[in-house]
Amino acid sequence: MNPALLHLPDAEQHLAWIQEIYDRGVRRPGTEVDAAVVEWCVELLTSWGCEVTLQPVPALTSHPGPAVVEVWPTEAPDDVHRFDGFTMPFTTAVDGATFALDQAGGCAWQHVPLTELPVSWLAEQAHAVHDPTGELAEHVHTLPFGAALGKDIDIAVDAGAGALLAVFDGPWRSSEAFVPYDGVERPIPGVWLDRDQGAAIDALLAAGPVTVRLRTEVTQRSSVDHNVIATLTGPEHADDTDRPWTVVGSHHDAPWRSAVEDASGIAQVLAQAKAWAAVPAEDRPSPLAFLLTAAHMSDGAGTQRFLADWEHRDRIGLGLHLEHIAVEAVPDGAGGLTATDRPEVRWWFVSHDWADRVAEAVAAEGLDRSLVLGPETLGPMPPTDGGFYHLADIPMVSLLAAPMYLFDPADTPEMIHVP
């Protein structure tokens, strides 16, 4: 029997940690809130007996705010319609810049529908599927971004546009998608509007040429955040043995208050650390590191720094990356979302040598709606921080759910899948 199971915190404790993190506020990288969450995690991990170090992570961080969009028929400049939107991260701030809308060289106009992925397509490529009810054969998974994977503004830049006005066209009404988040500053302004605002502007465009004036708020800063690395020795001291390290990790920053993304990941890592800290060193199978990385919302800069600089990096035997304990949500009929009692489809990206073991564990634990996938199923690496282990040729197991609200303030504690 796994000795840590005797000490694993229950769901109530997980939820209390998630609520604590959520209540602290928006914890984007480079903010005081995120730094306070790091300090809180260090206090907990130290109190349990872990040896904790902080690893500096420099990154370009983006801090967007509200946007004001004024549009009018070009031939009727007094007929001004105002819309309040959200400035896209990693774009350029402007104060009253005017453009022709939806014309070459002016302000590009895009509707960005969220991608709908037939799960059957993914299941055909999976190593294993745990779906006792057989529902996934017909299920369509709505992802949290459109076809450009959150980089819609790059289409406008490549087309020579002076700005981008984009409609977040999801099953609920929102204009607050925190994308892109790849740490690359764009040379033009960008604004998200909601679907109702998009329909109003469509009506204006249908009647003739339209002019738009943009006021956006966003700053980019060179920030230094910190990875939290908490370690426990194995049967012998780590420096005196060739035993490989097991790294259990997630990230501590987020786009919003973000219960699922990724307070739920922090809670999973804290739970593992608390449980293993209660196990005598001689009963631990290997030296263990519990990792909470910085700057996920800046191209996973924290995980990349950890794998480049950690002193035991060459002795990592497994990177176990845990993200997103999420429910599937549906429209509530009033422009919002409501949580269901179903878990969001669970993706387990797994190095090939681990696939059978993970598939057996998923089935044994009854984790329905699970797909065990190879690390290159969706590209050269999985779309998680865990994917950087794969690029570094380190065996990995990475849990990810991708609910459609992942980058939105709709990610609240009600969206946690408690079972």
Side-chain angles (χ1 to χ4, degrees):
M1 176 181 173
N2 182 341
L5 290 175
L6 297 174
H7 309 285
L8 194 66
D10 60 14
E12 184 177 359
Q13 177 63 83
H14 281 75
L15 292 170
W17 286 330
I18 291 168
Q19 191 70 53
E20 166 76 19
I21 297 163
Y22 182 86
D23 288 345
R24 287 175 176 265
V26 177
R27 60 182 189 284
R28 293 174 188 154
T31 64
E32 292 182 0
V33 173
D34 189 41
V37 169
V38 165
E39 184 177 352
W40 175 77
C41 290
V42 169
E43 290 174 357
L44 284 178
L45 292 161
T46 302
S47 72
W48 299 330
C50 297
E51 182 176 336
V52 181
T53 59
L54 295 177
Q55 181 184 40
V57 178
L60 182 70
T61 61
S62 190
H63 306 272
V68 175
V69 178
E70 295 176 316
V71 299
W72 59 88
T74 303
E75 300 301 321
D78 294 332
D79 185 17
V80 177
H81 302 253
R82 171 179 164 141
F83 303 95
D84 295 320
F86 178 65
T87 306
M88 291 182 181
F90 294 106
T91 61
T92 299
V94 292
D95 186 10
T98 302
F99 306 89
L101 184 62
D102 201 26
Q103 295 185 27
C107 180
W109 175 243
Q110 290 184 24
H111 280 258
V112 182
L114 298 186
T115 298
E116 294 192 341
L117 177 66
V119 178
S120 59
W121 176 84
L122 206 54
E124 289 174 358
Q125 305 173 69
H127 177 85
V129 178
H130 187 64
D131 179 29
T133 65
E135 66 171 298
L136 294 185
E138 303 296 329
H139 183 63
V140 177
H141 184 175
T142 302
L143 301 179
F145 35 65
L149 304 180
K151 299 183 181 182
D152 307 273
I153 193 164
D154 292 336
I155 298 172
V157 172
D158 292 344
L164 171 63
L165 199 54
V167 179
F168 183 83
D169 217 344
W172 78 106
R173 187 169 55 248
S174 179
S175 62
E176 296 183 296
F178 195 89
V179 290
Y181 60 93
D182 56 3
V184 178
E185 186 173 4
R186 272 67 175 189
I188 66 173
V191 176
W192 287 110
L193 294 175
D194 69 37
R195 62 190 188 188
D196 291 348
Q197 295 167 326
I201 294 175
D202 282 338
L204 290 172
L205 281 167
V210 169
T211 301
V212 59
R213 181 163 53 231
L214 302 179
R215 292 183 176 85
T216 66
E217 294 182 17
V218 61
T219 59
Q220 272 68 243
R221 298 200 294 262
S222 295
S223 302
V224 178
D225 295 310
H226 292 86
N227 290 338
V228 180
I229 308 170
T231 58
L232 294 170
T233 59
E236 301 174 73
H237 193 277
D239 291 338
D240 300 324
T241 178
D242 291 329
R243 289 180 183 270
W245 283 79
T246 300
V247 179
V248 182
S250 194
H251 60 87
H252 57 70
D253 62 306
W256 300 94
R257 292 174 177 264
S258 302
V260 171
E261 166 74 320
D262 207 3
S264 68
I266 297 173
Q268 291 177 87
V269 174
L270 291 177
Q272 290 293 319
K274 191 173 192 299
W276 283 107
V279 173
E282 60 269 19
D283 293 332
R284 300 173 192 145
S286 69
L288 298 162
F290 304 96
L291 172 68
L292 295 170
T293 60
H296 171 76
M297 306 309 298
S298 292
D299 197 35
T303 306
Q304 295 193 67
R305 174 54 61 98
F306 173 76
L307 291 174
D309 291 351
W310 190 45
E311 60 180 324
H312 302 299
R313 177 250 182 264
D314 292 337
R315 287 174 45 207
I316 300 175
L318 175 68
L320 173 60
H321 194 73
L322 303 172
E323 295 192 42
H324 308 168
I325 302 303
V327 297
E328 183 181 49
V330 295
D332 64 6
L337 292 174
T338 187
T340 70
D341 61 356
R342 299 184 299 275
E344 186 55 272
V345 176
R346 302 181 246 227
W347 298 346
W348 299 83
F349 293 99
V350 179
S351 297
H352 299 295
D353 289 347
W354 283 78
D356 286 340
R357 279 175 280 184
V358 171
E360 291 169 5
V362 164
E365 297 295 336
L367 299 177
D368 59 322
R369 303 182 121 216
S370 282
L371 303 170
V372 180
L373 304 164
E376 297 180 348
T377 301
L378 296 179
M381 63 176 272
T384 80
D385 276 5
F388 292 111
Y389 291 89
H390 175 65
L391 294 183
D393 294 322
I394 296 170
M396 54 152 281
V397 175
S398 185
L399 167 62
L400 179 76
M404 57 186 172
Y405 53 80
L406 193 61
F407 307 124
D408 191 269
D411 178 5
T412 65
E414 289 71 29
M415 298 303 182
I416 298 295
H417 184 242
V418 177

